[in-house]
Amino acid sequence: MRKFCLDLRVKTVEKMNDRHVLIKLTHNQLLPEMQAGQFVEVRVDHSPDTFLRRPISINWVDREHNELWLLVAIVGQGTRQMAQLKAGELLNCVLPLGKGFTLPSSDNERFLLVGGGVGVAPLLFLGRQMHERGAMPTFLLGARSAKDLLLMEEFERTGRVFVTTEDGTAGHQGFVTHHPVLENETFDRICTCGPTPMMRAVARYAQQKQTLCEVSLENMMACGIGACLCCVEKTTDGNLCVCKDGPVFNAQKLVGW
């Protein structure tokens, strides 16, 4: 898939909560084709200590309004600077990068999409691509508390939604792997993105159920094209770059998972 380096214009920056913002970007030409699970490398301007681009998952591509959505967790100086962007400013992005999730081959396939924290970002795009194909995805979304649940209305418009929170303020109390839907229903494929411990637990569950599982890794990615080798992951096919050969992998091919 062809890659582009584009100056995208900020349409809005919406504050989701104290630690997350949703940035909506547009361009004077049609945005390139992108796949759920791919990401962009963002250049952070006006931040002297931010030397490297920041990898951000593609949250959604709104073709009707020619918008690219980026759901950003504010964790350091670079993302704090991104959160301060204003409408009309430009954000330089290299996109689309990496390989995405596998889409259903028929509308009869039962997909479970499991996300935690900001890891829910690529699952909205994936769920909507499935919905457009006539499939009904099931989302299992986890967060620390109700205030940390992100874009719930968007998910509820896209498929069935189940929720867990660690403090019990919304949905089922506990981790995503504690939710009863995992025991009460069966699925043909599981796709997950979020904290590594959560994804490992989901992958172990999938292995027990003999269900194919795809995970989206979040290794540090400096270049996004496989040149710097800082995101290498051990797999049954050898050491692979997460940015180029992933970030989505079959969990069974990850060594130690």
Side-chain angles (χ1 to χ4, degrees):
M1 183 176 288
R2 187 180 173 190
K3 299 173 178 60
F4 300 82
C5 184
L6 301 176
D7 284 323
L8 302 181
R9 189 168 299 280
V10 177
K11 289 187 73 173
T12 61
V13 178
E14 302 174 21
K15 185 177 181 180
M16 300 285 100
N17 55 34
D18 291 340
R19 296 184 295 114
H20 299 89
V21 294
L22 177 64
I23 303 175
K24 296 183 180 180
L25 305 163
T26 190
H27 196 250
N28 54 11
Q29 297 182 5
L30 287 177
L31 291 167
E33 290 298 319
M34 295 173 244
Q35 298 175 350
Q38 291 185 307
F39 65 99
V40 305
E41 283 276 6
V42 177
R43 189 184 72 205
V44 182
D45 297 328
H46 312 299
S47 179
D49 296 330
T50 307
F51 302 105
L52 301 175
R53 288 178 179 263
R54 292 293 183 262
I56 307 292
S57 295
I58 297 170
N59 182 214
W60 170 234
V61 181
D62 184 341
R63 292 293 172 190
E64 181 180 356
H65 299 99
N66 199 40
E67 291 178 353
L68 168 65
W69 293 14
L70 301 179
L71 183 61
V72 179
I74 305 169
V75 295
Q77 185 169 334
T79 48
R80 279 196 296 272
Q81 182 64 38
M82 290 175 63
Q84 296 172 15
L85 287 166
K86 300 292 188 294
E89 293 184 326
L90 297 178
L91 192 64
N92 185 268
C93 299
V94 179
L95 75 166
L97 298 172
K99 296 179 181 178
F101 290 100
T102 302
L103 289 169
S105 57
S106 75
D107 56 12
N108 295 321
E109 284 191 85
R110 290 172 54 82
F111 272 62
L112 176 66
L113 313 186
V114 185
V118 77
V120 303
L123 300 183
L124 178 63
F125 192 6
L126 177 59
R128 287 190 165 175
Q129 286 192 323
M130 292 179 179
H131 194 269
E132 289 170 357
R133 290 172 171 236
M136 175 63 73
T138 298
F139 297 102
L140 176 54
L141 308 177
R144 292 179 182 175
S145 66
K147 64 182 177 60
D148 298 312
L149 292 167
L150 303 168
L151 298 171
M152 289 301 296
E153 291 183 2
E154 301 292 342
F155 282 106
E156 289 166 353
R157 282 198 287 264
T158 306
R160 294 193 307 157
V161 179
F162 297 93
V163 168
T164 68
T165 52
E166 294 178 28
D167 63 3
T169 51
H172 187 83
Q173 184 169 9
F175 300 121
V176 289
T177 47
H178 298 158
H179 199 284
V181 71
L182 297 179
E183 297 303 324
N184 296 338
E185 300 187 27
T186 58
F187 298 93
D188 300 309
R189 187 186 295 263
I190 298 173
C191 302
T192 183
C193 183
T196 298
M198 183 209 78
M199 291 195 293
R200 287 179 182 268
V202 172
R204 288 194 295 270
Y205 163 83
Q207 187 174 28
Q208 293 168 2
K209 296 292 184 178
Q210 297 184 323
T211 303
L212 202 145
C213 178
E214 290 185 330
V215 302
S216 179
L217 300 186
E218 296 184 333
N219 297 30
M220 182 179 291
M221 293 179 276
C223 71
I225 57 174
C228 68
L229 303 180
C230 72
C231 65
V232 170
E233 184 78 17
K234 290 183 179 180
T235 78
T236 56
D237 296 325
N239 293 333
L240 298 179
C241 290
V242 170
C243 67
K244 180 171 64 70
D245 302 303
V248 177
F249 291 91
N250 181 333
Q252 292 183 347
K253 293 194 171 187
L254 298 176
V255 175
W257 282 62

